[in-house]
Amino acid sequence: MKTIAALQAVVTAVPFDGEPSDAELNAIEQEMPLILAEVDLLDAQIMTIDRPASELDTRRVRRARNRVLAARRDLTNRTPGGLSVPGGAA
């Protein structure tokens, strides 16, 4: 029977410092408008969960959804080679 200490060198062979690389930070920076638009959409949807949606709520969700679509479009047009967005949106 092998102990965990004997396998530790194999498991932790590649040191991981826990910090994102520069390329990952640049990708996050490029996607930040889309991320913020999706957060706004989620906030608008959360506000309507426990009550009937009023006309103002409906408009708020519709505007937030349009901002997400516009941010996806802008990101796709700006990214070389296109963007793979989950859910089949392009």
Side-chain angles (χ1 to χ4, degrees):
M1 178 174 180
K2 294 182 181 180
T3 63
I4 293 176
L7 297 176
Q8 184 175 7
V10 176
V11 173
T12 59
V14 178
F16 178 67
D17 63 358
E19 298 294 324
S21 68
D22 289 340
E24 291 169 332
L25 290 174
N26 288 337
I28 292 170
E29 186 68 30
Q30 290 289 322
E31 295 176 11
M32 190 54 68
L34 175 59
I35 293 168
L36 294 175
E38 288 175 339
V39 168
D40 289 342
L41 175 59
L42 186 60
D43 286 342
Q45 290 172 335
I46 287 172
M47 284 192 282
T48 62
I49 286 177
D50 60 346
R51 61 184 171 144
S54 67
E55 181 63 31
L56 180 63
D57 293 331
T58 304
R59 282 190 248 158
R60 184 178 292 127
V61 170
R62 186 175 57 239
R63 282 194 308 266
R65 188 176 295 126
N66 288 338
R67 282 192 298 269
V68 168
L69 292 174
R72 283 184 181 171
R73 180 199 61 221
D74 294 342
L75 183 61
T76 302
N77 289 338
R78 185 175 50 223
T79 304
L83 173 69
S84 174
V85 177

